[in-house]
Amino acid sequence: MRLLFLLLLSALTALRASAADDLFKPVRSVDLRAPSVPLITSDPYFSIWSPYDKLTDGNTEHWTADEHPIMGAIRVDGKTYRFMGKDRQVYEAILPMTDDEAWEGCFLMDRAPEENWYELDYNDGHWNIGKAAFGTSENKRIKTKWSKENSDIWVRREFVMDSLDEDVPLLLKYSHDDVTEIYLNGNLLVSTGNTWRNDVWKELSVAEKQMLRKGKNVIAVHCHNTVHGAYLDFGLYRKGDSVCRFDNEAHQKSVDVLPTQTYYTFECGPVELDLAFTAPLLMDDLDLISTPINYISYRVRSLDKKQHDVQVYFETSPLLAVHEVSQPVKSEAFAKNGMDYLRAGTVDQAYTARKGDIVRIDWGHVYLASAKGIGKKTALGTYYGLKRSFLDEGTISPEFYSLESTGQQTMPVMAYTDNLGKVDVDGKSGFLMLGYDDVYALEYFYKRRQAYWKHDGRVDIFTAFERAHADYASRMERCRAFDLELMNEAEKAGGKEYAELLALVYRQTIAAHKLFTDDDGNVLFFSKENNSNGCVNTVDITYPSAPLFLVYNPELLKGMMRSIFYYSESGRWKKPYPTHDLGTYPIANGVVYGGDMPIEEAGNMVILTTAISLRENNAAFAAQHWQTLTTWTNYLAEYGLDPENQVCTDDFAGHWAHNVNLSVKAIVAIAGYAEMARMLGYDSVADEFGQKARDMATEWEKMAFDGDHYRLAFDKPGTWSQKYNMVWDKVFGWNLFPAKVAETEMKFYHGKMNAYGLPLDSRETYSKNDWIMWTACLGTQDDFLKFVHTVYKYADETSSRVPLSDWYDTKSANMMSFKARSVVGGFYMKLLMERLNLKK
């Protein structure tokens, strides 16, 4: 009996050890090289990525590309290896930027200067003199207001170089919004194109350093503001020496991006380190998907069958809680209910005050949290102080428990260590948590709203952390089970490359949203239009992202649409078609976009309401808004067949009248309205609009036909475009358009394909990968696999190291613009089609 008991105990111990091991290995291996690797993903503000092949190649970033650093190191038998991030480079200012020291320059903004304005010998005596930084916003950096009436500014900054040392690295640092050219002594150094970024570093090449002269020099800058705010600041720096470094770099053996988790494995001398980043974004659990807490898990084991003395180190920064490094922050260390916390946030705490596109949150607090335990420590300290302590002793001690600081040089680090002690082949593991309590998430029709997980203030961040700690094991198991199920289903539907693309975009899509409720308790799920204009809850962002939510939880899609219905039904929006947006994130008080998209947005809302009705096998959601849907559908029936010169979701490509693909959207939407009417028992309405859709589709085919394909615009022979809106006809199985239409188009598309995908239309070589994935569904399975391969190849090879851009050139694989957007949820269209087909 005793022997049986011992055998059972041994088996149980082995099973538990095996289960623990499984937590640190991906459920599926992934070959796709992510353009940027998702690490911490919760919402548009709490979103941290690594844009490198190796986690040690640079510091982690917010999706906007501003540094949101997390550093990791491991000490093995007294030797330290860095496995994450890089030590901060020390820079000495030759020409300081505003954060380091006030400076003045000559500027013009009311008129263009002479052609040679950027030359060294140009006489700028008639220019104005102003203090940097220059801009339109009200942040503390700006000293010279850049009038919104003037779209351009020219700035010259003269300086003297006493000596020139070719061996000393020199760097230009600049912040700009928007299009900027920077010249050194008349030579162009930087041309940004239409982008906007803060604190960009550019190391001067040997040739560029040779442009400098001993004595007088000048940096001359032109900045053109395209829309919204404007900003300009720049300086020149030389590299200095740091006083403390984690110089030994761990060898990265693998990285695998799964839907909810990212896994790394490193060789650190005689031990192996497994690292897992988990965002438990499980869409069947609204509390979990909205709780802003992610896990960083680690496991260390011996590679040489010997025991090794091991300590693990992580640190992050108050930079996660500021928009600008110049903002004063307060950092604190404290304990509560058996948990240790490090917390940081701005002193001002201007809730929901900062709005816009390329911005970071500067209200609420970032938290690093861990349960108390043997060997575990958390501490606030100076940037080099805690590192030196870990290097020398393998531990850290608090240098202070509360600190107010301004600027990166005085900003502390928030550090965590775990002394694992003696580690053998069985290994030891642990985890810490990063979270962000924004206090108020956004403003919805002039009332600040808390995130869903708070349940109107009944749950606080400490309760959320305590639950996250207690539920760690079960959440890991749930995430792993979901990831495996998704990957297997996706591979069955569209192949291994398709499955890996879906894994890459899963967290990106969800983390571009914020979940909350209105006064009646209705779920609202608002997107931020990342990197395209910063709008909140944009309808033509919801439309392409919808397949992901239709597959896993249509309630979230309803949460994007309810407020659009409400805006019309409340009388705030009086037009016979939906609004484009509800404001600029995080202020959702009403539309801010400059032009309406009548057919685009009406078609989007009606089609998506249809998709929800068919996915749920009832039209209850449609019934709640039937009068509004009727108004929108009547507009589509009157104007949708041959659209006038209307803005559409592809407006970046130009506004062409008589848009053939836009017409398809109107026709499918009218058919969808008829389908919902039938479900609600309105048979005569269903007959009328069903026939209307069929008649329009017949007329469409005659008007659009161009021999071997169908046109981009009805009145422009020789043009072509992707008819991605036609995918819904196939998804719903209506056969509005004869099969020969899709067959003709797909045959034609294969002749237009480039290395990285099918162009959007005949005008340019760029495309949108969400639309490519929809168009791919129009063909055979072989067609689909070929299209998917080009999108996979783009993601795998693009030099644009950003959270996957959806707008890119199909020949070069370079992004045009747009990153971190939720529209890539459209990649799930094939999976949605398979799900709906199973129900038929």
Side-chain angles (χ1 to χ4, degrees):
M1 190 70 177
R2 177 174 171 78
L3 178 59
L4 178 61
F5 173 77
L6 291 175
L7 288 172
L8 288 171
L9 181 62
S10 177
L12 181 60
T13 301
L15 183 63
R16 286 175 176 169
S18 175
D21 284 350
D22 287 345
L23 288 177
F24 297 95
K25 294 298 182 184
V27 293
R28 292 277 301 271
S29 63
V30 173
D31 296 323
L32 176 63
R33 183 226 61 175
S36 191
V37 179
L39 302 178
I40 305 295
T41 47
S42 180
D43 60 38
Y45 290 134
F46 194 39
S47 181
I48 304 175
W49 302 69
S50 175
Y52 305 103
D53 291 337
K54 295 195 298 182
L55 198 54
T56 50
D57 282 349
N59 284 322
T60 55
E61 301 176 348
H62 187 259
W63 68 259
T64 59
D66 268 28
E67 192 173 288
H68 273 195
I70 307 171
M71 180 174 282
I74 182 171
R75 191 171 182 267
V76 183
D77 299 330
K79 183 175 181 178
T80 301
Y81 303 84
R82 173 175 47 85
F83 59 81
M84 183 176 186
K86 275 195 171 183
D87 287 307
R88 181 192 299 165
Q89 178 63 51
V90 175
Y91 298 104
E92 299 170 1
I94 299 172
L95 290 179
M97 282 180 63
T98 306
D99 284 345
D100 300 318
E101 185 180 314
W103 65 272
E104 289 184 344
C106 297
F107 74 94
L108 282 180
M109 67 172 67
D110 56 345
R111 64 188 186 278
E114 296 82 358
E115 288 186 0
N116 63 334
W117 66 273
Y118 50 82
E119 298 288 352
L120 175 61
D121 297 328
Y122 173 79
N123 183 2
D124 57 19
H126 58 291
W127 286 31
N128 303 308
I129 303 232
K131 293 182 178 180
F134 305 84
T136 56
S137 58
E138 301 302 322
N139 68 60
K140 295 178 181 179
R141 289 176 170 179
I142 290 173
K143 300 296 188 293
T144 298
K145 293 294 179 67
W146 179 349
S147 170
K148 291 183 179 179
E149 286 72 36
N150 298 299
S151 59
D152 294 84
I153 192 170
W154 294 263
V155 179
R156 286 173 55 89
R157 187 177 185 185
E158 293 187 0
F159 60 101
V160 173
M161 295 288 286
D162 294 328
S163 61
L164 300 175
D165 188 341
E166 294 183 359
D167 295 329
V168 176
L170 299 180
L171 297 100
L172 177 71
K173 184 181 180 185
Y174 58 95
S175 298
H176 67 103
D177 185 358
D178 299 297
V179 185
T180 301
E181 298 91 37
I182 303 177
Y183 298 85
L184 173 60
N185 292 338
N187 301 285
L188 182 65
L189 291 184
V190 171
S191 180
T192 67
N194 188 19
T195 60
W196 48 99
R197 287 187 63 186
N198 287 334
D199 301 325
V200 179
W201 291 95
K202 170 188 165 49
E203 184 167 349
L204 301 190
S205 66
V206 173
E208 289 169 335
K209 286 198 295 183
Q210 290 173 350
M211 298 171 186
L212 288 163
R213 300 181 180 182
K214 189 173 182 180
K216 177 184 170 183
N217 295 267
V218 66
I219 295 178
V221 182
H222 167 235
C223 187
H224 170 70
N225 180 38
T226 59
V227 67
H228 303 306
Y231 186 73
L232 180 64
D233 192 8
F234 57 92
L236 187 65
Y237 294 76
R238 63 168 62 91
K239 279 187 180 180
D241 295 324
S242 64
V243 297
C244 172
R245 300 185 68 87
F246 291 154
D247 284 328
N248 298 309
E249 190 174 297
H251 170 63
Q252 182 175 306
K253 298 171 69 176
S254 64
V255 55
D256 296 277
V257 177
L258 278 296
T260 66
Q261 297 185 293
T262 296
Y263 298 85
Y264 287 90
T265 297
F266 301 89
E267 188 175 309
C268 312
V271 303
E272 183 176 79
L273 168 68
D274 291 315
L275 196 62
F277 296 86
T278 304
L281 299 176
L282 302 174
M283 281 188 276
D284 62 347
D285 188 331
L286 297 187
D287 270 313
L288 195 54
I289 197 176
S290 69
T291 300
I293 296 173
N294 279 207
Y295 300 97
I296 304 177
S297 308
Y298 51 90
R299 191 269 307 275
V300 184
R301 58 183 177 184
S302 173
L303 291 172
D304 60 5
K305 299 183 181 180
K306 298 178 181 178
Q307 285 191 337
H308 299 280
D309 188 48
V310 176
Q311 298 84 38
V312 177
Y313 174 95
F314 290 90
E315 73 171 34
T316 189
S317 164
L319 283 172
L320 275 61
V322 301
H323 172 69
E324 304 168 342
V325 296
S326 60
Q327 291 179 275
V329 296
K330 182 177 182 180
S331 306
E332 303 170 279
F334 57 93
K336 186 179 179 71
N337 296 338
M339 303 279 291
D340 285 326
Y341 294 97
L342 301 173
R343 175 172 67 187
T346 57
V347 172
D348 291 342
Q349 289 296 302
Y351 300 121
T352 70
R354 186 180 298 279
K355 63 181 181 178
D357 191 356
I358 308 299
V359 299
R360 274 72 50 203
I361 193 170
D362 58 3
W363 68 89
H365 297 87
V366 61
Y367 288 81
L368 186 156
S370 171
K372 290 182 176 293
I374 297 173
K376 299 179 188 294
K377 287 188 177 182
T378 58
L380 285 176
T382 59
Y383 184 84
Y384 292 116
L386 294 184
K387 291 182 181 65
R388 173 55 62 193
S389 176
F390 183 75
L391 279 166
D392 292 344
E393 306 295 335
T395 189
I396 55 175
S397 297
E399 297 182 348
F400 33 77
Y401 290 92
S402 180
L403 177 72
E404 288 194 14
S405 60
T406 302
Q408 193 167 7
Q409 298 305 314
T410 59
M411 194 176 283
V413 294
M414 308 156 69
Y416 162 94
T417 58
D418 187 357
N419 185 355
L420 298 175
K422 298 298 183 182
V423 173
D424 56 23
V425 292
D426 292 330
K428 292 184 179 180
S429 62
F431 69 94
L432 67 151
M433 296 170 285
L434 283 182
Y436 203 105
D437 181 10
D438 54 18
V439 185
Y440 291 101
L442 40 72
E443 183 176 305
Y444 178 56
F445 287 114
Y446 307 99
K447 183 177 181 179
R448 288 178 183 157
R449 307 298 309 189
Q450 295 179 334
Y452 180 92
W453 65 273
K454 285 176 172 281
H455 294 285
D456 294 322
R458 297 191 299 274
V459 178
D460 64 17
I461 191 65
F462 304 110
T463 302
F465 270 114
E466 289 163 21
R467 289 176 180 171
H469 177 264
D471 294 344
Y472 169 76
S474 65
R475 290 183 184 181
M476 293 300 110
E477 291 171 3
R478 289 172 64 189
C479 285
R480 290 175 61 80
F482 173 78
D483 288 356
L484 182 60
E485 178 185 6
L486 190 159
M487 296 295 285
N488 287 343
E489 185 180 5
E491 184 167 353
K492 183 178 179 181
K496 185 176 187 295
E497 291 184 338
Y498 181 58
E500 293 185 9
L501 283 169
L502 295 197
L504 174 65
V505 303
Y506 182 85
R507 279 174 278 172
Q508 175 174 324
T509 304
I510 299 171
H513 295 80
K514 194 72 178 181
L515 187 67
F516 65 107
T517 59
D518 63 17
D519 287 335
D520 297 322
N522 296 309
V523 168
L524 301 178
F525 192 50
F526 280 10
S527 63
K528 179 176 181 181
E529 192 173 339
N530 291 339
N531 198 224
S532 44
N533 68 13
C535 280
V536 58
N537 207 30
T538 302
V539 175
D540 56 296
I541 295 295
T542 296
Y543 176 68
S545 72
L548 172 62
F549 304 105
L550 285 164
V551 170
Y552 290 110
N553 190 348
E555 186 64 28
L556 292 170
L557 180 56
K558 295 177 191 175
M560 299 180 225
M561 299 171 66
R562 284 192 179 99
S563 60
I564 305 300
F565 282 118
Y566 170 76
Y567 196 33
S568 286
E569 293 161 2
S570 69
R572 288 180 167 93
W573 178 259
K574 301 180 185 299
K575 299 176 182 179
Y577 45 80
T579 181
H580 167 272
D581 62 84
L582 285 180
T584 299
Y585 198 94
I587 307 299
N589 293 333
V591 64
V592 295
Y593 194 66
D596 293 343
M597 296 186 182
I599 292 173
E600 180 74 54
E601 308 302 24
N604 291 342
M605 289 293 290
V606 177
I607 289 171
L608 294 182
T609 308
T610 305
I612 290 170
S613 301
L614 294 176
R615 181 76 175 89
E616 296 185 333
N617 286 322
N618 72 77
F621 183 63
Q624 297 171 20
H625 307 286
W626 192 247
Q627 183 176 344
T628 306
L629 289 166
T630 300
T631 299
W632 293 344
T633 304
N634 284 333
Y635 181 90
L636 293 170
E638 183 173 356
Y639 299 104
L641 176 60
D642 189 6
E644 295 300 323
N645 190 21
Q646 292 197 5
V647 177
C648 70
T649 193
D650 301 325
D651 58 355
F652 53 84
H655 314 312
W656 275 19
H658 316 295
N659 187 308
V660 172
N661 187 48
L662 193 58
S663 177
V664 172
K665 177 172 289 186
I667 295 167
V668 173
I670 293 166
Y673 177 79
E675 181 81 12
M676 292 184 288
R678 186 83 63 197
M679 296 173 76
L680 292 170
Y682 306 146
D683 290 343
S684 62
V685 174
D687 291 343
E688 176 189 352
F689 282 89
Q691 187 60 50
K692 177 70 173 176
R694 288 190 293 274
D695 291 345
M696 290 174 70
T698 299
E699 190 66 20
W700 178 96
E701 186 184 357
K702 297 175 184 176
M703 295 166 60
F705 188 61
D706 204 34
D708 60 349
H709 69 282
Y710 294 82
R711 299 173 182 174
L712 162 62
F714 288 121
D715 63 337
K716 288 185 168 55
T719 63
W720 65 271
S721 66
Q722 291 189 44
K723 308 303 187 296
Y724 56 81
N725 285 318
M726 200 174 288
V727 71
W728 295 106
D729 189 30
K730 186 170 181 180
V731 169
F732 298 145
W734 289 337
N735 300 314
L736 292 169
F737 299 90
K740 68 176 182 178
V741 174
E743 292 168 1
T744 299
E745 285 288 272
M746 292 302 294
K747 183 178 179 181
F748 182 82
Y749 293 154
H750 282 292
K752 299 297 181 181
M753 191 81 74
N754 291 323
Y756 298 104
L758 178 67
L760 185 64
D761 57 45
S762 52
R763 290 175 287 184
E764 301 285 350
T765 59
Y766 58 62
S767 194
K768 294 275 272 77
N769 49 29
D770 48 343
W771 300 147
I772 292 175
M773 298 293 271
W774 286 26
T775 299
C777 294
L778 294 174
T780 65
Q781 185 72 357
D782 285 344
D783 291 327
F784 182 80
L785 295 175
K786 290 175 183 177
F787 276 60
V788 166
H789 177 71
T790 64
V791 175
Y792 184 96
K793 182 178 172 68
Y794 155 67
D796 194 57
E797 298 179 6
T798 179
S799 60
S800 302
R801 305 307 298 270
V802 300
L804 189 67
S805 173
D806 53 286
W807 181 24
Y808 66 97
D809 186 82
T810 58
K811 288 187 174 180
S812 69
N814 294 328
M815 67 178 284
M816 303 296 298
S817 188
F818 305 166
K819 59 184 175 182
R821 302 208 310 166
S822 63
V823 301
V824 292
F827 286 22
Y828 282 76
M829 181 62 84
K830 177 70 168 176
L831 207 57
L832 174 64
M833 184 183 296
E834 297 297 322
R835 288 269 182 114
L836 290 176
N837 284 338
L838 287 175
K839 292 171 62 177
K840 293 176 183 176

